[in-house]
Amino acid sequence: MIHISVNGQMQMIEDGVDPKTPLLWVLRDHLNLVGTKYGCGVAMCGACTVHVDGKPVRSCQLTVGDVGTKAVTTIEGVGKTPIGAKVQAAWVEANVPQCGYCQAGQIMSAAALLSHTPNPDDSDIDAAMAGNICRCGTYIRIRRAIKNAGAKSV
Amino acid sequence: MKKVSIALAVVVVIALGYSGWLYTGHNATSFASGSTVALEDYKAANPTGVPAELADKDLVTRGEYLSHAADCQACHTEPGGTPFAGGFAFNMPFGTIYSTNITPDKETGIGNYTDAQFLNAVHKGVRANGENLYPAMPYTSYTLMTDGDALAIKAYLFSLAPVSSPAKVSNLKWPFNQRGMLPLWNVMFNSGERFRPNTGQSPEWNRGAYLAEAMGHCGECHTPRNVAYAVNNHRKFAGTLTAGWHAYNITGDKESGIGDWDEASLFSYLHTGHAEGHGGAAGPMGEASDNSLTFLTEGDIHALVTYVRSVPARNSDLPEKVKTPASASHKEGDAVAGLDGVRGEKIFAGACMSCHEWTGVSPVTHYATLTNVRAVNDPSGTNVAQTVVNGVDRQTPQGRIYMPAFGEGYSDDDIAAVSNYVTARFGAKGATLTGKDVADLRNQASQKKAATKEAPNG
Amino acid sequence: MANSKFVESDAYFSEMIREIRGMPEAASSSTMGRRTFFKLAGAGTAGLVLGFHLPAMAATAEDAKNLTMNAFVKVAPDNTVTIYSKCPEIGQGIKTSFGLIIAEEMDADWKHVTVEQADINPKVYGSQGAGGSTSIPRNWDQLRQAGSGAKAMLVAAAAKKWGVNAADITCRDSVVTHAASGKKATYGELAMAAAKMPVPDPKSLKLKTRAEYRTYGKRNKGVDDDKVVTGQPLFGLDVQRPGMVYAHYTKCPAAGGKVRSFNEAEIKALPGVLDAFALEGTGVPAECMPGVAIIAKDTWSAFKAKDKLKVDWDESEASKDSTSAFSAQAKKAAAGAFPAEHDDNVGDVEASFANASKEGNGKVIEAYYEYPFAAHTPMEPMNTTAHYRPDGMLEMWVPTQQPDRGMAMMAKSAGLKVEQMVLHQTRVGGGFGRRLGNDYACEAAAIAMKVKAPVKLTWTREDDQQHDFFRPAGYHKFKGAVTKDGKLDAWQEHFITFTVDGKKEVSGGNLTENLKLSTKAPNLRRGKTMFPLIIPTGPWRAPGDNAQVFAHQGFMHELAVAAGKDHVQFLIDAVNRDVPDLAPKLPTINFSPKRSSDVIQMCADKIDWKKPRAKGTGVGLAWCYSHAGHTAQAVELSVDENKRIKIHRIVAVMDVGPIIDMSGSEAQGQGASTDALSTAMGLQITIENGRIKEQNYNSYPTLRMPFAPMAIDVFFIQSENPPTGLGEPAFPALAPALTNAIFAATGDRIRSMPLRNLGYSLAV
Ligand code: FES
Ligand code: FES
């Protein structure tokens, strides 16, 4: 049986789940954590981004068997961290979401960025966010929200 | 008048190539110490045929194994087409030729071939109708194959469903379209000899030699060719550009070859097409891996490792690989100078970083780690660019290895920029590809993937 | 040879485009008169719950009982006001706007308002689609009446309680005040009493005037932003039901292929697979096409099994379409004679050409424009959850743009009656017109009938890209004349498009009425050629306009250049030309030369049109009348020697009437401009032997952050007109503004999209 730590809780993955199953589908279909989104399945869109030991990782590519003892944080749990909460607040403040489907992934990428670069410049933002597609075109507000979140100390 | 002088030049070139080839290049295994004997005089073990595990299987099963060992399918199958029905394009500097249908179809395949005719094709490159095959068919390697093994392959091919698939018309420039010149070429470059074991080497080495030379024809891609397009064994396995991809130096040279690979890594690479810490096979090697090597028994892979490691080290001006990951910050580390460096970085950030990370160490799968990978440490950037264009899509016994192909969505300029960036950031020295170079590489690559190949999730 | 079921499907989409592009004011006013309010039965302790009653589709008492949650407004004793948003939220911000409209009209305190998604019940709500930027114009009156009616009942309750005249009572921020007596009560305190008041006649209500609006045009947050940023389950893909199983559905990669057989035993034996079966479907692309369903215990098992699926397809009637062949054919057709039959014919183009080509009399120019097929690719792949319940009802959770009309198709695909359907509208992860079709929901409905459990169907991204209703490619051969004083004199257009039935253009492939109204030349002639097409097409953000405006506004610029006229002046002159034959035939059409000129002029001012610019830098402008909105867009950019385009600034000026929510409106303007840039630069769908080549984002390079423009300024002219929608009008004029700017910067005239095929790319 596979055990993984998600949002600070140890989760047992039921028997019969192939360890090669991408973390994305285990979160969504087995742990009812549907905030993490499926967009492309090939690491091209970023909708499925979660944190693994604090780093942004595409959960459509990481198999549940490869998670091991690392701590997984999803959009449902990131608000419990000061940086995550700050990013979420900045997102609401800037009214970023349009359809909103990409935004969980965007927020996870942004929170990871701010955790190692508290005051990111444009180049940092490009480097961290280029892998997240927003089909609705909310990029201007995403950039603004990240800068606003960065400007506020935790 | 012009044609005659070109023909004359060709003859001269072939003659020149021949003399050089005679000197050291003609015998694939002459590098090894010890003396060779005829197969029937070799008593230590039988280096030919199928491994012991399969010895008591029927002829067709044995032939199937051997057809994998000889990697017939890769070249005789059009992407997306029926296996062995031919139509695969070889884009060569002097034109395009297509592989033929080797299913037992009587009209368009080899259904009417007698054993003797089949052996003639395999050993001598001569068709049933007497026409000469182009040496894209590796008969100068297959000539080492025993009659028994070749006929087992024939039995296997004849067990397949016949497919009607007429030959595509080759399109070669003059004088290469003159098949009449091939007998001359064959006299000079095809030894016409069966495999001769070496009594000074171990049975395992001899098995490896047979697999590598008579069956797998490794040298056809990994050994540079001379001016007359014949493999030049005095640079045996030292690496060369084949079909737009760099077939790397697989001699024991520490810097440019595989001298720093341990036994286990080599075994893993040959067995699965991937070795942790060294990267994985893509392009033609990926195909060789998926269609041929992954079908071989572990014993045969060990034999191949033994043989390959005995080939003398040859330096091939590839730099030593960088073995440490790049910085976690995109702002630190080697980058390409100028505007296109920034462009390469931004493209990498959007299309590549998710899997390969700024460090080059993948957070999702070791298949995607770039550190210490030969292609990334090749300052020509050839295989990096090809991989970006064509992606990787391999079915291995361990599962599917997939990287999207960016060739349709990204311009030549952008692929050049990102390839230069990747080689600079993660490798020994940045490539200096231009968009034009990438366009050329695209043209040289043997054939595009089928149009509607689906990604692994869908 | 046209397949009748493909014709049926195409007609559905064509009709939808007509409807959504159509006449917003007419749509709402025609039904207004027949509508009355009703209070909902059984709402006793809930407070005041108010809905509408349409006599034409009389809701029964039974309906009303079930409709507690289906009203527009609910005022609870705890002073919370709940507003039910009847249309799908697809990213256009409608849930926020609808809430604001009702709250404004009833003077509710926005802080105490929550907005909920209404379920689907056309009997109560009327049309519930979201498409064509019509949600606001269509529902403007109805929503205001809902707010006003609720307020009237609260006021009536207060008047009765206090024994005062209702006319002396005022409302503000959910508080009712009688100024003379100083009496005050909150809406919550009055809710129970208000529920007992007679419902007012909608015609008796006095709606607020412009001067009385207090909340419109302010910047609000999205009503669901908090939920979106914390990952709450809102979207179709997020639906979870007890005992749910997961499905994938494989259709023929070439549209129209049928299943002969598949490796059923092998698939059923795969790990996690619960069942596998082929469906014939209805054979209509907008409904359920033939395919193979795989049911599994989770999505991944279904996807994995699908990798192993081998289907023997009967492709005898399947698409063999090829985009490269279309391009070649079109070029040939364009070079040939002008079609003998004319779609429009005003004045005498031949005479104008003859005259203008005489030395010193003017100029005649010709040009050929083309653009490719395009996919919608909303970020949320198509999906639906469906449960055929033991009680014989089919309950469905669908991320759709067109639930009310889709319902009948879903029922048909399941072999049920519409009365057996219960439809829940989920939030939608992007529409762009894709979800006006409900094919995925129809598939889920058909699958659910064979599965004894709730089942969630999920398409892969690759499914999404290959089984789309594409924006059709188009080809325009223009010939135009300008007079010697620099005025547009003749416009001739040979439009090459596609047809399914051999008679009409495919859906999205007809020259839009918008362009016919706004292209004003005294001599004008249009004709068309149609190629047969099987690949299904459909509405795509600003259908027709999204690409046709590129061709039209590009050629318009060419004419201005040929005329030696300032482009802005040329456009203003042209749109103000009085050509009676081209005037709108219906009074409900709000096309206005004045509003057009105003947006053009303001856009020119905002981009500093006349400012001299360095070599290699240029500014381009274009405009359109689209979806009842008037928009002009301008781009300032520079281009380097490697054809890399640096966008300095984008300006969009729109007149869509009053703005309800400024933040959301600005977001639509910026988002549509970004989308349009992304599409113009890089996106195309190539078809080979009926198969779609671009299957995922690696070959469909949607714009990413480092390349996205960061300076997009959106301005609104808030004219005294009823509001119209703006999900679409900010899309069409961007591409020609871009290419006109490139011409200004480099002299290179761009006549085809995407620009990456011409070697252009966006600079970093
Ligand atoms: S779903 Fe994982 S990156 Fe798109
Ligand atoms: S908000 Fe819709 S995709 Fe980003």
Side-chain angles (χ1 to χ4, degrees):
Chain A
M1 175 157 323
I2 304 168
H3 288 78
I4 56 170
S5 154
V6 184
N7 299 330
Q9 268 186 317
M10 217 44 190
Q11 298 276 4
M12 267 177 0
I13 314 301
E14 67 208 69
D15 278 338
V17 172
D18 182 354
K20 292 225 172 100
T21 307
L23 176 62
L24 169 68
W25 296 111
V26 174
L27 292 171
R28 291 187 57 84
D29 293 354
H30 293 279
L31 301 178
N32 280 0
L33 292 168
V34 294
T36 305
K37 297 293 190 264
Y38 164 63
C40 70
V42 294
M44 291 296 301
C45 78
C48 65
T49 307
V50 298
H51 293 176
V52 177
D53 276 353
K55 299 220 171 65
V57 168
R58 305 295 184 241
S59 65
C60 68
Q61 298 301 304
L62 181 67
T63 67
V64 66
D66 281 348
V67 174
T69 56
K70 299 195 195 92
V72 176
T73 307
T74 69
I75 186 70
E76 289 92 343
V78 77
K80 294 195 200 88
T81 68
I83 289 174
K86 196 173 68 168
V87 172
Q88 287 171 333
W91 242 248
V92 174
E93 181 63 38
N95 184 208
V96 175
Q98 285 188 32
C99 82
Y101 192 80
C102 73
Q103 300 297 347
Q106 305 277 6
I107 287 168
M108 296 308 282
S109 290
L113 163 67
L114 287 166
S115 69
H116 61 74
T117 309
N119 279 298
D121 61 20
D122 281 334
S123 141
D124 296 321
I125 293 174
D126 283 351
M129 306 302 297
N132 290 76
I133 293 177
C134 176
R135 171 71 176 80
C136 298
T138 63
Y139 297 124
I140 293 175
R141 289 184 180 191
I142 289 174
R143 198 181 285 272
R144 190 190 306 150
I146 292 174
K147 289 194 171 167
N148 288 346
K152 289 184 189 122
S153 57
V154 178
Chain B
M1 197 53 219
K2 195 171 155 225
K3 279 199 172 182
V4 172
S5 58
I6 294 177
L8 212 65
V10 170
V11 171
V12 171
V13 161
I14 292 179
L16 276 175
Y18 182 53
S19 51
W21 185 78
L22 268 188
Y23 179 56
T24 51
H26 68 293
N27 187 334
T29 56
S30 62
F31 65 86
S33 63
S35 46
T36 63
V37 294
L39 186 60
E40 54 274 25
D41 297 332
Y42 184 69
K43 301 291 178 242
N46 181 7
T48 68
V50 295
E53 297 94 308
L54 297 168
D56 56 354
K57 294 277 191 277
D58 61 274
L59 182 65
V60 169
T61 309
R62 284 182 281 137
E64 180 177 8
Y65 183 87
L66 292 166
S67 87
H68 283 308
D71 199 7
C72 312
Q73 185 179 336
C75 291
H76 282 282
T77 310
E78 193 178 3
T82 317
F84 303 107
F88 183 94
F90 297 85
N91 294 339
M92 307 211 268
F94 39 84
T96 303
I97 58 180
Y98 296 93
S99 66
T100 51
N101 180 357
I102 53 168
T103 69
D105 185 56
K106 290 212 190 307
E107 273 79 49
T108 64
I110 58 168
N112 288 324
Y113 272 57
T114 64
D115 286 359
Q117 285 169 330
F118 187 79
L119 288 175
N120 247 345
V122 170
H123 289 151
K124 300 197 183 126
V126 178
R127 277 186 184 151
N129 64 4
E131 237 175 49
N132 280 90
L133 294 166
Y134 285 100
M137 160 79 173
Y139 56 85
T140 59
S141 296
Y142 290 162
T143 199
L144 297 166
M145 198 188 293
T146 66
D147 288 4
D149 287 352
L151 293 175
I153 292 174
K154 175 170 179 262
Y156 168 65
L157 293 174
F158 273 63
S159 75
L160 301 170
V163 177
S164 174
S165 169
K168 293 192 189 168
V169 182
S170 294
N171 159 29
L172 289 178
K173 295 185 200 124
W174 192 89
F176 300 97
N177 55 2
Q178 303 299 303
R179 282 187 193 262
M181 311 206 25
L182 285 165
L184 172 67
W185 191 93
N186 286 335
V187 165
M188 292 192 270
F189 298 118
N190 188 6
S191 72
E193 273 183 10
R194 298 299 91 79
F195 179 69
R196 288 173 64 85
N198 185 325
T199 53
Q201 302 286 340
S202 68
E204 190 174 47
W205 182 95
N206 276 297
R207 173 64 176 167
Y210 184 73
L211 286 169
E213 303 299 345
M215 308 300 284
H217 56 280
C218 313
E220 298 278 345
C221 289
H222 286 278
T223 303
R225 289 174 187 272
N226 66 19
V227 281
Y229 205 68
V231 290
N232 172 14
N233 279 315
H234 78 260
R235 296 282 300 153
K236 186 178 179 65
F237 288 0
T240 185
L241 197 71
T242 306
W245 288 73
H246 207 142
Y248 285 116
N249 182 339
I250 50 169
T251 73
D253 185 62
K254 281 224 160 17
E255 263 181 29
S256 58
I258 53 170
D260 63 340
W261 290 48
D262 61 18
E263 181 99 14
S265 300
L266 261 184
F267 177 84
S268 163
Y269 193 92
L270 290 177
H271 193 43
T272 66
H274 181 263
E276 202 164 338
H278 293 284
M285 188 62 196
E287 284 161 22
S289 189
D290 289 357
N291 293 321
S292 171
L293 289 163
T294 55
F295 289 91
L296 300 193
T297 62
E298 296 197 359
D300 274 354
I301 297 288
H302 281 301
L304 267 174
V305 171
T306 301
Y307 175 72
V308 169
R309 283 166 75 89
S310 76
V311 174
R314 307 246 182 245
N315 187 281
S316 60
D317 78 357
L318 281 172
E320 196 174 343
K321 293 185 282 179
V322 173
K323 298 195 166 54
T324 47
S327 162
S329 163
H330 72 285
K331 284 183 173 156
E332 288 161 17
D334 292 334
V336 187
L339 259 185
D340 270 9
V342 182
R343 188 168 191 86
E345 177 195 311
K346 305 285 180 190
I347 293 165
F348 182 83
C352 321
M353 194 275 286
S354 295
C355 282
H356 299 293
E357 254 292 359
W358 293 106
T359 58
V361 178
S362 172
V364 289
T365 164
H366 55 257
Y367 289 114
T369 289
L370 300 175
T371 315
N372 200 26
V373 167
R374 174 41 80 199
V376 173
N377 283 277
D378 169 0
S380 77
T382 303
N383 286 14
V384 169
Q386 289 289 21
T387 308
V388 172
V389 168
N390 297 293
V392 178
D393 189 2
R394 297 187 38 215
Q395 279 296 353
T396 77
Q398 288 69 38
R400 196 164 178 187
I401 303 174
Y402 180 82
M403 166 179 148
F406 294 89
E408 298 288 345
Y410 289 69
S411 69
D412 292 338
D413 279 358
D414 284 355
I415 288 165
V418 79
S419 304
N420 295 345
Y421 180 78
V422 163
T423 45
R425 183 172 181 85
F426 306 107
K429 188 167 179 287
T432 54
L433 289 168
T434 63
K436 163 96 177 44
D437 296 334
V438 173
D440 289 347
L441 287 175
R442 284 189 200 243
N443 290 335
Q444 286 166 39
S446 49
Q447 203 158 332
K448 286 209 184 82
K449 287 253 182 297
T452 55
K453 191 98 180 174
E454 284 198 15
N457 72 318
Chain C
M1 210 194 54
N3 174 331
S4 64
K5 291 187 171 175
F6 275 64
V7 174
E8 184 184 322
S9 178
D10 193 64
Y12 166 75
F13 283 121
S14 292
E15 184 193 330
M16 189 128 42
I17 291 180
R18 247 191 316 281
E19 184 180 296
I20 62 184
R21 201 196 273 130
M23 297 127 238
E25 288 142 88
S28 57
S29 53
S30 62
T31 49
M32 245 357 265
R34 294 181 286 126
R35 193 182 285 132
T36 60
F37 284 117
F38 67 91
K39 282 185 298 187
L40 291 165
T45 53
L48 172 63
V49 184
L50 204 59
F52 278 108
H53 187 87
L54 287 169
M57 298 191 272
T60 62
E62 189 54 31
D63 282 335
K65 227 187 274 164
N66 295 327
L67 291 177
T68 321
M69 300 308 292
N70 277 337
F72 281 89
V73 188
K74 187 170 82 183
V75 183
D78 68 358
N79 206 30
T80 55
V81 175
T82 307
I83 290 171
Y84 294 92
S85 174
K86 60 178 254 190
C87 289
E89 174 60 63
I90 59 173
Q92 82 283 46
I94 209 65
K95 211 168 160 185
T96 305
S97 300
F98 275 13
L100 283 165
I101 292 172
I102 294 177
E104 167 70 58
E105 202 64 44
M106 76 182 280
D107 285 311
D109 184 350
W110 187 240
K111 283 199 290 294
H112 297 138
V113 173
T114 50
V115 185
E116 303 279 342
Q117 177 67 52
D119 271 345
I120 301 311
N121 194 329
K123 280 185 183 168
V124 175
Y125 293 106
S127 152
Q128 286 186 276
S133 302
T134 57
S135 296
I136 287 186
R138 238 186 244 280
N139 298 297
W140 173 237
D141 288 344
Q142 190 192 29
L143 298 171
R144 287 186 303 152
Q145 286 181 343
S148 183
K151 183 168 75 175
M153 289 168 77
L154 290 158
V155 167
K160 186 171 170 206
K161 191 170 161 193
W162 298 332
V164 301
N165 192 340
D168 299 334
I169 287 177
T170 55
C171 297
R172 186 165 183 153
D173 295 335
S174 296
V175 174
V176 180
T177 305
H178 183 249
S181 65
K183 286 201 169 69
K184 277 180 198 291
T186 64
Y187 283 5
E189 288 160 358
L190 295 166
M192 295 306 290
K196 299 193 185 83
M197 293 294 123
V199 289
D201 177 355
K203 282 184 284 256
S204 73
L205 297 169
K206 198 182 145 299
L207 300 179
K208 282 187 175 181
T209 62
R210 281 292 272 277
E212 291 169 310
Y213 294 149
R214 286 183 311 166
T215 59
Y216 290 163
K218 298 219 166 70
R219 303 186 77 89
N220 294 284
K221 288 162 195 156
V223 291
D224 279 339
D225 281 2
D226 287 321
K227 290 183 187 152
V228 168
V229 303
T230 51
Q232 304 300 301
L234 296 168
F235 298 94
L237 202 73
D238 301 345
V239 172
Q240 305 274 311
R241 306 297 300 164
M244 186 167 82
V245 296
Y246 298 81
H248 179 268
Y249 192 59
T250 301
K251 290 181 282 190
C252 184
K258 296 186 191 114
V259 184
R260 274 202 208 99
S261 65
F262 73 103
N263 52 339
E264 184 176 343
E266 190 187 332
I267 296 300
K268 282 181 169 166
L270 289 170
V273 173
L274 305 170
D275 199 2
F277 46 84
L279 288 177
E280 226 177 84
T282 61
V284 182
E287 298 168 1
C288 185
M289 291 296 281
V292 175
I294 298 175
I295 315 298
K297 70 172 195 315
D298 56 20
T299 313
W300 183 246
S301 301
F303 284 5
K304 284 303 282 180
K306 180 224 62 170
D307 272 348
K308 295 256 164 7
L309 183 66
K310 290 190 197 76
V311 185
D312 179 12
W313 298 109
D314 169 2
E315 294 193 32
S316 52
E317 286 177 35
S319 163
K320 311 264 184 304
D321 298 325
S322 151
T323 40
S324 55
F326 288 147
S327 288
Q329 268 174 280
K331 205 164 270 159
K332 238 170 115 188
F338 192 79
E341 269 183 49
H342 304 153
D343 291 348
D344 301 282
N345 205 348
V346 173
D348 185 345
V349 284
E350 292 297 356
S352 168
F353 291 149
N355 182 45
S357 51
K358 279 189 213 120
E359 189 63 37
N361 264 7
K363 278 219 172 77
V364 177
I365 60 168
E366 292 183 64
Y368 178 67
Y369 282 73
E370 68 177 309
Y371 41 81
F373 286 80
H376 297 83
T377 60
M379 284 303 290
E380 180 190 16
M382 301 303 120
N383 67 85
T384 287
T385 303
H387 184 198
Y388 184 52
R389 299 190 318 218
D391 66 0
M393 299 290 281
L394 180 61
E395 187 172 10
M396 302 192 49
W397 293 260
V398 194
T400 173
Q401 289 180 252
Q402 192 61 272
D404 46 1
R405 296 181 52 168
M407 198 153 39
M409 296 170 145
M410 295 171 217
K412 178 181 162 201
S413 301
L416 297 175
K417 297 199 205 64
V418 178
E419 292 69 39
Q420 288 167 283
M421 305 288 294
V422 180
L423 205 59
H424 305 285
Q425 172 71 42
T426 69
R427 189 181 179 90
V428 182
F432 313 105
R434 171 61 183 86
R435 286 171 161 104
L436 290 164
N438 285 286
D439 46 339
Y440 50 99
C442 293
E443 291 164 7
I447 290 169
M449 298 307 289
K450 296 200 154 207
V451 179
K452 303 266 161 307
V455 56
K456 173 151 68 183
L457 169 70
T458 305
W459 285 24
T460 63
R461 170 59 53 199
E462 289 78 8
D463 295 329
D464 198 287
Q465 291 219 172
Q466 37 182 336
H467 300 297
D468 200 349
F469 300 98
F470 300 96
R471 185 270 304 274
Y475 319 85
H476 300 248
K477 172 71 192 288
F478 295 111
K479 187 171 181 183
V482 288
T483 56
K484 63 170 175 287
D485 57 346
K487 292 235 154 62
L488 174 63
D489 197 56
W491 178 278
Q492 175 177 286
E493 178 170 13
H494 180 182
F495 180 39
I496 297 155
T497 181
F498 301 95
T499 180
V500 178
D501 63 1
K503 297 179 205 108
K504 295 185 308 302
E505 304 91 325
V506 289
S507 165
N510 58 321
L511 206 60
T512 74
E513 286 303 315
N514 297 329
L515 279 167
K516 293 191 173 188
L517 290 166
S518 56
T519 310
K520 299 221 263 170
N523 304 292
L524 180 146
R525 182 162 77 170
R526 293 193 184 95
K528 66 174 176 282
T529 300
M530 300 189 291
F531 300 141
L533 182 75
I534 290 185
I535 292 274
T537 66
W540 195 106
R541 194 174 206 168
D545 295 336
N546 62 48
Q548 293 168 14
V549 169
F550 155 70
H552 277 235
Q553 287 288 301
F555 188 60
M556 203 60 130
H557 188 221
E558 294 196 48
L559 287 163
V561 172
K565 257 293 198 31
D566 173 71
H567 182 214
V568 168
Q569 200 51 55
F570 186 81
L571 291 175
I572 291 176
D573 286 350
V575 74
N576 284 296
R577 201 63 170 265
D578 190 21
V579 187
D581 283 341
L582 297 174
K585 302 282 175 293
L586 287 164
T588 47
I589 289 171
N590 68 355
F591 171 66
S592 151
K594 163 95 174 53
R595 292 171 83 178
S596 308
S597 318
D598 288 352
V599 293
I600 295 169
Q601 190 57 57
M602 181 168 170
C603 188
D605 295 345
K606 292 289 181 192
I607 199 87
D608 219 342
W609 178 252
K610 294 237 159 100
K611 187 176 85 182
R613 286 170 168 91
K615 198 166 166 278
T617 301
V619 54
L621 183 145
W623 77 279
C624 68
Y625 165 67
S626 184
H627 294 78
H630 298 74
T631 304
Q633 276 159 301
V635 178
E636 182 179 324
L637 50 69
S638 49
V639 184
D640 74 9
E641 67 283 1
N642 293 319
K643 294 186 157 186
R644 301 222 168 114
I645 302 164
K646 181 90 207 154
I647 307 272
H648 302 307
R649 197 170 162 231
I650 293 173
V651 168
V653 177
M654 311 177 72
D655 178 353
V656 289
I659 295 302
I660 311 300
D661 170 42
M662 185 53 82
S663 175
S665 300
E666 185 194 70
Q668 288 305 306
Q670 291 177 334
S673 299
T674 304
D675 186 9
L677 181 67
S678 174
T679 309
M681 288 305 305
L683 302 187
Q684 68 180 335
I685 284 294
T686 346
I687 308 166
E688 255 176 44
N689 192 27
R691 287 156 163 80
I692 310 302
K693 254 173 118 178
E694 294 79 7
Q695 303 246 324
N696 209 317
Y697 294 112
N698 52 313
S699 46
Y700 203 66
T702 307
L703 198 63
R704 292 173 182 276
M705 180 85 123
F707 299 91
M710 284 297 139
I712 304 178
D713 299 322
V714 184
F715 302 94
F716 296 101
I717 298 179
Q718 301 204 40
S719 61
E720 296 283 330
N721 291 287
T724 53
L726 51 70
E728 288 158 293
F731 188 100
L734 192 279
L738 171 77
T739 52
N740 292 345
I742 293 170
F743 179 84
T746 66
D748 187 16
R749 175 63 66 189
I750 291 167
R751 298 192 183 93
S752 70
M753 299 197 288
L755 274 59
R756 75 177 161 102
N757 289 356
L758 306 168
Y760 283 98
S761 59
L762 290 172
V764 294

